[in-house]
Amino acid sequence: ETDGNILYNDLKFLKMLYAAFGDKFQASRYVVDARSDTKEDIYEFLAEAVNVAIFVDCENVDPYAFGATILNLDEGVLSKIKKIILYDDVNTSTAWDYITDIMAIPVVKKDIERVLDNKSLVDITMTAGVCEEYYRNDMESIILASSDSDFWGLIKQLPRARFLVLNEFRKTSGAIIEQLDQYSIMHCYMSDFAQDTVQKFKSDVLYLGLMEKIKHFNETGEFGTLDVNELLQQLFYDANIIGAEGQIKKEKDDLSKKSLVNQI
């Protein structure tokens, strides 16, 4: 009785269930959706907007957290968003190559080439892209998906634009949150949104990554490794899939049983 009604709280129920068997539930992001006031802040931002574009710093954003955020919002309020523009780099997750498939909003993907191998140009290119959309295409409301504090300079240089920042708790400094709050810039954590909506997408990304490796093998005769564990490790690394150890192990086992057995 002291635990309250666990039937209406998935997280509480799972924590108690795991504890009963001497274990600890560590995958809360798969079952806990964002609080209603977090969604209401986004809905309020969109309701007051005329033209909205989302700009995504693919280097600094978890593709599954971003996907979960958009997919957990009511489709009816997303009509104000004209497009999602991805600014991608060669070193980011392969998931960005396929995220268009799960989005109802038009997606433009910009692959940003490097001049120097050790220097990304994503931030500066995205900054220029935001300015172009604001001044040339009248995107007066801008959603920035990034936890990078460098974009504070962009926000300050466009004082008449309306900004909403989508960031991730583990990547965002307290200093930038203080600045956003001080200047009344709306922000919310993408990591607050439950990722159950992107589980199939994760599986698809892993499967497509495997197909790419098989295609490469058929064309070149090179596969990299025939060790199943090493192959799974590489696929998950390329797809940038992270999480609780038990959940990752389950996902690796599922991929191995459903795909590797049939393909290798």
Side-chain angles (χ1 to χ4, degrees):
E1 293 182 0
T2 57
D3 293 312
N5 192 338
I6 64 173
L7 296 180
Y8 293 99
N9 190 319
D10 291 343
L11 180 60
K12 185 182 293 184
F13 174 75
L14 287 167
K15 284 184 175 180
M16 292 179 63
L17 180 63
Y18 272 62
F21 289 90
D23 201 354
K24 183 178 181 180
F25 182 68
Q26 296 179 316
S28 59
R29 64 183 182 148
Y30 291 95
V31 297
V32 181
D33 197 11
R35 298 178 315 187
S36 59
D37 56 341
T38 299
K39 289 186 177 181
E40 287 303 320
D41 285 345
I42 298 176
Y43 294 156
E44 179 183 340
F45 178 85
L46 294 174
E48 297 176 0
V50 178
N51 294 313
V52 188
I54 302 178
F55 300 83
V56 183
D57 171 9
C58 296
E59 284 187 313
N60 200 256
V61 170
D62 182 323
Y64 311 106
F66 176 74
T69 300
I70 302 302
L71 294 179
N72 274 294
L73 299 174
D74 294 336
E75 288 188 15
V77 303
L78 297 178
S79 59
K80 293 279 187 75
I81 302 175
K82 305 304 180 183
K83 54 187 165 183
I84 298 171
I85 307 176
L86 308 176
Y87 291 84
D88 200 11
D89 180 79
V90 66
N91 293 324
T92 63
S93 169
T94 54
W96 294 116
D97 294 330
Y98 310 113
I99 203 165
T100 302
D101 297 339
I102 63 170
M103 292 292 161
I105 303 166
V107 177
V108 178
K109 185 170 181 290
K110 296 181 180 290
D111 294 312
I112 313 303
E113 296 183 359
R114 295 188 173 201
V115 176
L116 299 176
D117 290 341
N118 64 344
K119 181 65 176 177
S120 168
L121 297 177
V122 165
D123 288 2
I124 188 64
T125 307
M126 180 167 152
T127 297
V130 171
C131 292
E132 180 179 19
E133 290 291 335
Y134 176 73
Y135 286 112
R136 180 177 294 179
N137 298 326
D138 298 322
M139 292 292 175
E140 94 295 341
S141 295
I142 296 162
I143 299 177
L144 293 179
S146 179
S147 301
D148 193 333
S149 61
D150 288 349
F151 289 111
W152 177 246
L154 168 64
I155 294 172
K156 288 288 289 179
Q157 291 304 310
L158 295 177
R160 295 186 180 181
R162 301 176 66 248
F163 281 95
L164 166 64
V165 178
L166 302 177
N167 48 21
E168 295 171 70
F169 181 78
R170 66 185 178 88
K171 297 179 181 177
T172 307
S173 72
I176 189 62
I177 293 300
E178 289 179 6
Q179 288 294 306
L180 293 172
D181 288 340
Q182 181 180 342
Y183 287 87
S184 300
I185 304 297
M186 195 175 294
H187 58 90
C188 68
Y189 293 121
M190 290 180 283
S191 38
D192 284 348
F193 289 81
Q195 290 200 10
D196 58 310
T197 54
V198 292
Q199 283 305 104
K200 183 180 183 303
F201 175 55
K202 284 185 178 182
S203 298
D204 290 344
V205 171
L206 290 167
Y207 178 77
L208 291 168
L210 175 60
M211 292 302 99
E212 282 296 317
K213 288 187 178 297
I214 292 174
K215 179 183 176 182
H216 179 73
F217 173 75
N218 290 334
E219 292 174 350
T220 67
E222 298 177 359
F223 198 69
T225 180
L226 293 179
D227 182 283
V228 172
N229 290 327
E230 289 183 2
L231 177 57
L232 286 170
Q233 190 71 21
Q234 186 62 50
L235 288 170
F236 273 72
Y237 177 80
D238 291 343
N240 190 33
I241 295 178
I242 58 176
E245 183 178 347
Q247 180 66 27
I248 293 297
K249 183 180 183 304
K250 181 182 182 303
E251 292 180 2
K252 285 182 177 180
D253 289 344
D254 288 345
L255 179 65
S256 179
K257 292 175 183 177
K258 294 177 182 178
S259 299
L260 291 182
V261 171
N262 296 325
Q263 299 294 337
I264 296 181

